[in-house]
Structure formats: structure tokens, C-alpha cells
Amino acid sequence: MTTTTIAGVAVDTNDEGFFTDPTQWTEEMAPELAAAADIGQLTDRHWQVLHFMRDEYFEKGTGPTVRLLGKASGVSVKELYQLFPKAPAKTAARIAGIPKPRGCI
Amino acid sequence: MSDTIEKVSIIVSKGSLEGIYPALIMANGARAEGIDANLFFTFFGLDAIHKKRFEHIKVATVGNPGMHMATLVGGLPGMSALATHMLEKKMDEFDIPPIPEFVEMIADTGAGMYACKASVDLFGLSEDDFIEQVGSIITVGEFYEIAAGGEIIFT
């Protein structure tokens, strides 16, 4: 576990850069986290995914996979890969301040 | 972090449910991790992208010791359909998508999908037989060009 300073606040992250305590996250941290993940300006579509990620995490204890995001977040799988190129669920989890989602599908 | 996989090319050669799913799960999982993925469908694996067949993929109940079923019982009419139905029900509970939906989703993740030319010719098929997500019908040589620099997985 490491302590990282994001938007002027010290937070706990693991060695992959995921938050270990999602309650430490605030919306003000998202732009800085997004920039670190090579995502430019966060749009409303990005935010829709980020809010969904956090809601799912707090409800179920784990973040959603791409499959679930595509099914239930209101953003299609195709668009997810446009908004968060490379690994959408992982990248969105990083920016939304939740642990890495675990799931095979 | 030099020990990372950047690209996988997965060959799907089987047309049974248990032959197709692992390849699809691995391709989808690769894309979820940010790994480039290609699927190359050959021989009976072509059924997974065949418009009329990909909704009717069955689990093998004969010649499949993993089913723990006597060969004679497995060969009874309707046994394969029954086993498939039961497995599909179970998979739905775990939110594993049916093959048509899964194949389309994997295409949406940006994975490449190709049909093997030799098999397409052998079975007398053409581009019209396949779902629109299939990029093209390619030769084995072209497959190696696409797979170059990555890992190749045969299933």
C-alpha cells in the first residue's frame, strides 16, 4: 500500500494505482486521475460510467466488468472502448477511485 | 513491466459449446485487460460465426468424459439438447452471455474476427454465411501476419 497525493489530498492506493479506500475519493480528484490514465477531458458520458462504477461498487462490493457496464450503465460496449480506450472497466475503476473489478466476463 | 502480453490471436477449431466458450472468454478477457485480440475461426469453429448456426451450438454428450455420462446414455436422442439447455440456464445465472450476444460484444470491444479460407472453401461457405462482424476470410499466411508479434492460442 502506498500513499499518493491527488488533488492535494493524501489517499491510499495499491501498487497498481487503485484506491484501497473508495471513501477517500472525491469528484475533484477525477480529472487528475483521468490525466494519469491518458484520458483527456472528462465528458458527461465519462461521468455516467464513473458514477455507475461507484454505485455498483458500494452496492455489491466489487466494480462492474465491461459486460455489466455495457448492459446496465447506459453506455454501450463500443462506446466504452472509445471513452476509455484499452481497458474500460479497469481504467474507469482507477478514475472512479474504486478497487480493480474482478470478473471473467 | 516487460512481462506483459500485448496481443493474443486465438484459433477456434471446435464447434461445440465447450469448444467455443473458452476462446470467447479469453478473447473478451484480453480486451478487458487492454490486450489486443484476434479470433480466427477454422473448421467446425466456423459455426460460432455462422448466421444460422451460432444460435444452436450444443455441448457434446458423446465422446466427452467430462460429462460423466455413459456413452450410450449420452447418445440418446435429445440428450445433447437437454445438456445444452441445462448448461445455458446455469450460465445465464452467472451472467455469461449466449454465444451470439457474446460474439457481437467481443467485436464491439475491437477484437478482430476472421474466418479461415481453407475451411470456408472446404465446407462450401461464403462471406454471406457469416455474421457481419467477421472482418474477412483470410488464408493461414495472412493469419500469421495478423498474429505477428503476439501470442497464439489454439483451442
Side-chain angles (χ1 to χ4, degrees):
Chain A
M1 191 138 79
T2 350
T3 307
T4 321
T5 306
I6 298 158
V9 184
V11 297
D12 299 320
T13 55
N14 70 6
D15 50 9
E16 283 185 280
F18 290 94
F19 274 54
T20 50
D21 179 4
T23 61
Q24 292 178 334
W25 182 89
T26 60
E27 291 196 0
E28 288 72 42
M29 297 175 182
E32 196 175 321
L33 291 162
D38 285 330
I39 308 287
Q41 189 73 36
L42 289 173
T43 65
D44 288 351
R45 300 300 282 166
H46 287 100
W47 276 109
Q48 186 166 337
V49 177
L50 298 179
H51 288 307
F52 183 84
M53 297 286 303
R54 288 186 67 84
D55 291 348
E56 276 287 309
Y57 175 81
F58 285 110
E59 190 183 322
K60 296 179 181 162
T62 177
T65 60
V66 179
R67 149 92 171 149
L68 187 65
L69 281 172
K71 243 175 80 170
S73 73
V75 178
S76 72
V77 170
K78 225 175 199 161
E79 193 184 348
L80 283 165
Y81 276 87
Q82 286 160 2
L83 294 172
F84 305 95
K86 283 263 172 192
K90 261 171 78 176
T91 308
R94 229 185 271 272
I95 301 170
I98 62 168
K100 181 172 153 182
R102 290 193 76 237
C104 286
I105 310 293
Chain B
M1 286 285 279
S2 61
D3 286 348
T4 54
I5 294 174
E6 303 293 331
K7 175 163 81 173
V8 291
S9 295
I10 302 170
I11 301 164
V12 188
S13 71
K14 309 261 195 328
S16 59
L17 189 125
E18 73 276 20
I20 292 169
Y21 264 109
L24 298 185
I25 291 172
M26 292 188 75
N28 180 60
R31 293 298 302 129
E33 291 296 320
I35 298 168
D36 286 341
N38 295 301
L39 281 162
F40 183 64
F41 298 90
T42 185
F43 265 83
F44 303 108
L46 286 173
D47 278 3
I49 47 169
H50 190 290
K51 268 185 211 163
K52 294 202 180 82
R53 295 185 188 153
F54 78 155
E55 284 174 354
H56 309 285
I57 303 293
K58 299 263 185 306
V59 66
T61 47
V62 172
N64 182 359
M67 286 299 288
H68 306 288
M69 187 184 275
T71 297
L72 274 173
V73 177
L76 291 173
M79 199 47 92
S80 183
L82 179 71
T84 302
H85 179 72
M86 284 165 65
L87 198 57
E88 280 175 347
K89 226 174 105 185
K90 196 83 198 157
M91 288 173 116
D92 187 51
E93 277 173 37
F94 288 90
D95 204 26
I96 299 175
I99 285 174
E101 189 186 331
F102 208 7
V103 169
E104 282 158 28
M105 175 189 160
I106 292 167
D108 284 347
T109 70
M113 300 217 179
Y114 306 94
C116 157
K117 183 170 186 331
S119 308
V120 169
D121 292 346
L122 183 66
F123 295 143
L125 300 168
S126 75
E127 219 171 301
D128 296 340
D129 293 304
F130 301 114
I131 54 170
E132 60 182 55
Q133 285 82 359
V134 175
S136 50
I137 298 169
I138 61 171
T139 66
V140 64
E142 287 161 349
F143 166 75
Y144 280 124
E145 280 172 25
I146 290 166
E151 312 290 327
I152 293 177
I153 301 170
F154 185 90
T155 67

